[in-house]
Amino acid sequence: MKRKTLVLPAVVGLLAPVLAACGGTESGADGKGAIVVGTTDQLVASKENPAPLDPAIGYEAGVWNVLRQTVQTLTTVPNGGGEPVPEAARSCTFTDTANESYRCTLRSGLTFADGTPVTAEDVKHSIQRVIDIDAESGPIGLLSNIDMIETKGESQVIFHLNTPDATFPYKLATPAAGIVPKAQYPAKTARKGFQVDGSGPYTMKPEVEDGRVVRIAFEKNPSYKGELKVLNDKVEMDLFPDTAAMGKALDEKKIHLMTRAMSPEQAHRMLVSPKEGVDLTELPGLAISYLGFNTKDPVVTKPVRQAMAQIIDRGQIAGKVYGTTAEPLYSLIPTSIAGHTNAFFNKYGEPSTAKAAKILDAAGVKTPVKFTLHYTSDHYGPATAEEFKAIQQQLNASGLFEVSVRGEEWSKYRPEQKRGDYAAYGMGWFPDFPDPDNYTAPFLDADNFLNSPYRSREAEKVLIPQSRRAADRTAAADAYEKLQDIVAADVPVLPIWQGKQYVASRDGIAGVERSVSATSELQLWELNRPNA
């Protein structure tokens, strides 16, 4: 399964190399101007990726934050969670007890923003092109179990799946399944550039400098028909080079909201010493940080990975580096997701050098174990380097390891990681949808997004298919418990922490607590000025 190389939650700070935009809130003081939202997401076109905002290509949080506002999906997950409900569709349902055939009927009178009718053929075209294009780091993994897409008339679409999948309605709610006009998006190739056209709550106009988006103007789509209630007419998204520049813009009243992403220091300062006229809102977060391994590398054998799991003190890392903005994590599945167990704590208990030494000695591993721990220096924020220094210090202080750390720019880091160049490396994970499947299958399925050589036949052939057959997601709890135990025993990945989200906003803006979903996607339609 390929997966978006997800940017971590608002607490971490995404250091995106983009030009600072210079919007201003003064023009909106009378309630008529755009609500201005700051972000450090990066939207950059390159030779390798000339189409970053094509739904068939883009698979990062910043990209999805734009697509969420502009393209519709057949279903949507309600704000606050729960099962998906119809969005562009009037109704959607499984038509068989095996969860292998899923039928949706479009709303009547549905049109794209330019007035062109949205048809079943547009839906089929939009989703089929994701499968056909099969982008290297695209969202194909979410839709790869579609065997055939059938249309009936202008409004009915039937998805025939090659395996049972009770999570399929959630997958149709992601921007990977965004509906785009057939006439404007080629079937086999990407649509280059930054323009996005759809039937979503907003139209968009990007401002681009040197191949980078510096600002996006969103305007309410008068043709929109769907589940969402749009509470404003205009929103402007300004992109900043780092968290400091975004914070300065908030202080200078150039933006109304500071969203993705605040640094731990910024959140801490606002918690301890609130600024007049600025509110800090804490929101649930589902993003996690973890270490990944090339399990074929002879240095990081299973006993070595187990010893690392025995030594690393997650609580110290979360507290020292991130303060109140993160908490230790002992499973791939966060504590706030049903099915979570503290699998790593159950197996390893408190950090112990003595226990780690026994693991290595029993396996005949010569110590100190020497390797380089890699991390990306420009993708997850300025705190990443400090986090990996803390991990290095813990491992080396044990005397069992001699670990060096090395940071690389994301453009180099991700290809090298996927190629297997790194024995051990750090990554972040954002769920595509809030279900335990999205924290297990992407790491344990054959086509996993890390391109990891690790395989567990029980996970891949038995437990994952078994979990997806359960329409009642609580009925899959036993399968997920076993999956978490497998990860704790074999340590193909090593979870470190899960984060919280914070949004800072100036007085006079309402809906902030609903403006970011639990999966950290912006919901700009929730923002409004109640006194305007």
Side-chain angles (χ1 to χ4, degrees):
M1 174 181 286
K2 298 178 183 176
R3 171 63 167 79
K4 59 186 173 193
T5 52
L6 220 332
V7 194
L8 290 181
V11 300
V12 181
L14 168 63
L15 185 60
V18 295
L19 302 178
C22 300
T25 67
E26 291 82 357
S27 63
D30 59 359
K32 296 181 181 178
I35 296 174
V36 186
V37 175
T39 178
T40 52
D41 288 333
Q42 75 168 347
L43 300 172
V44 182
S46 63
K47 182 179 179 181
E48 293 75 19
N49 183 15
L53 289 180
D54 187 321
I57 306 296
Y59 201 22
E60 294 187 4
V63 173
W64 278 23
N65 278 338
V66 176
L67 296 178
R68 273 291 178 210
Q69 323 310 317
T70 48
V71 299
Q72 267 187 298
T73 48
L74 289 169
T75 61
T76 187
V77 177
N79 206 337
E83 295 183 0
V85 297
E87 161 58 351
R90 172 168 55 83
S91 64
C92 286
T93 186
F94 279 106
T95 60
D96 65 334
T97 57
N99 296 330
E100 290 184 312
S101 181
Y102 195 71
R103 180 177 61 207
C104 290
T105 303
L106 292 174
R107 293 177 184 266
S108 60
L110 196 67
T111 67
F112 292 108
D114 64 1
T116 306
V118 177
T119 68
E121 283 298 325
D122 288 302
V123 176
K124 177 180 179 179
H125 171 83
S126 300
I127 296 175
Q128 186 64 51
R129 66 188 297 273
V130 178
I131 299 168
D132 292 342
I133 291 174
D134 192 11
E136 175 68 21
S137 295
I140 175 63
L142 289 168
L143 306 173
S144 60
N145 65 341
I146 295 176
D147 183 53
M148 182 181 70
I149 306 174
E150 179 185 1
T151 62
K152 290 187 176 180
E154 293 292 305
S155 62
Q156 198 168 105
V157 187
I158 302 114
F159 299 93
H160 300 280
L161 310 181
N162 51 35
T163 56
D165 188 1
T167 71
F168 189 68
Y170 288 95
K171 295 173 181 178
L172 287 184
T174 69
I179 305 167
V180 295
K182 185 176 181 179
Q184 297 182 40
Y185 286 79
K188 305 291 185 180
T189 58
R191 183 188 185 184
K192 297 179 180 179
F194 295 102
Q195 185 58 46
V196 180
D197 293 288
S199 56
Y202 295 97
T203 60
M204 62 87 79
K205 184 178 181 181
E207 184 177 330
V208 182
E209 296 179 7
D210 299 324
R212 305 171 185 268
V213 175
V214 296
R215 182 180 295 109
I216 300 176
F218 293 101
E219 290 199 14
K220 184 177 180 179
N221 175 12
S223 301
Y224 171 72
K225 291 183 179 181
E227 180 71 14
L228 309 176
K229 185 177 181 181
V230 185
L231 301 178
N232 57 66
D233 292 326
K234 297 179 181 179
V235 179
E236 179 182 301
M237 181 186 290
D238 285 4
L239 286 75
F240 293 88
D242 52 45
T243 58
M246 183 168 60
K248 185 173 183 288
L250 184 72
D251 291 341
E252 296 176 350
K253 301 182 180 181
K254 292 182 177 180
I255 60 176
H256 294 100
L257 270 77
M258 182 162 66
T259 57
R260 295 173 38 81
M262 296 173 63
S263 70
E265 294 78 14
Q266 286 174 324
H268 178 73
R269 283 198 302 270
M270 291 186 185
L271 285 168
V272 174
S273 303
K275 294 185 178 181
E276 185 177 354
V278 176
D279 297 317
L280 186 67
T281 303
E282 180 182 320
L283 302 169
L286 295 177
I288 68 172
S289 175
Y290 63 95
L291 302 182
F293 302 95
N294 177 357
T295 54
K296 281 190 175 180
D297 192 296
V299 176
V300 288
T301 59
K302 179 177 175 179
V304 170
R305 302 194 303 270
Q306 290 175 328
M308 292 175 67
Q310 185 66 74
I311 290 172
I312 290 176
D313 188 335
R314 297 163 175 81
Q316 185 185 72
I317 292 170
K320 178 182 177 182
V321 180
Y322 297 105
T324 60
T325 63
E327 59 185 356
L329 180 63
Y330 297 92
S331 169
L332 278 175
I333 301 175
T335 57
S336 49
I337 293 288
H340 163 85
T341 66
N342 286 318
F344 275 81
F345 190 85
N346 294 342
K347 182 170 179 62
Y348 300 98
E350 296 290 346
S352 170
T353 296
K355 289 182 179 179
K358 288 183 179 179
I359 293 172
L360 295 174
D361 184 61
V365 177
K366 183 179 178 181
T367 59
V369 180
K370 300 179 181 180
F371 64 88
T372 299
L373 182 57
H374 295 262
Y375 68 92
T376 173
S377 59
D378 65 343
H379 198 64
Y380 297 137
T384 307
E386 186 180 351
E387 175 185 348
F388 279 81
K389 286 180 182 177
I391 294 174
Q392 176 194 30
Q393 289 170 359
Q394 289 182 3
L395 293 172
N396 291 351
S398 71
L400 302 173
F401 290 88
E402 190 175 314
V403 174
S404 59
V405 293
R406 181 183 179 89
E408 295 286 359
E409 292 185 358
W410 180 253
S411 59
K412 180 182 180 183
Y413 181 85
R414 176 59 170 160
E416 290 182 343
Q417 175 271 310
K418 290 188 68 177
R419 204 162 54 227
D421 293 355
Y422 304 153
Y425 51 89
M427 292 288 282
W429 182 257
F430 243 3
D432 299 308
F433 49 91
D435 187 274
D437 177 83
N438 204 234
Y439 289 95
T440 49
F443 298 95
L444 302 175
D445 250 349
D447 188 20
N448 66 82
F449 101 105
L450 290 176
N451 200 32
S452 170
Y454 172 78
R455 292 292 179 271
S456 165
R457 189 182 186 285
E458 183 181 9
E460 184 181 332
K461 302 297 184 182
V462 180
L463 296 174
I464 291 175
Q466 175 185 325
S467 70
R468 287 176 170 172
R469 283 193 291 268
D472 177 0
R473 302 307 292 146
T474 60
D478 288 346
Y480 287 121
E481 182 177 352
K482 292 175 182 177
L483 286 168
Q484 290 169 91
D485 288 344
I486 287 172
V487 173
D490 293 348
V491 200
V493 291
L494 177 54
I496 304 294
W497 56 262
Q498 72 176 84
K500 300 176 184 177
Q501 300 184 99
Y502 289 92
V503 177
S505 60
R506 301 206 65 85
D507 287 348
I509 302 297
V512 176
E513 71 279 3
R514 300 183 300 277
S515 65
V516 183
S517 71
T519 54
S520 293
E521 292 177 359
L522 293 178
Q523 301 177 145
L524 300 181
W525 54 86
E526 296 283 3
L527 298 172
N528 64 95
R529 294 184 177 92
N531 299 321

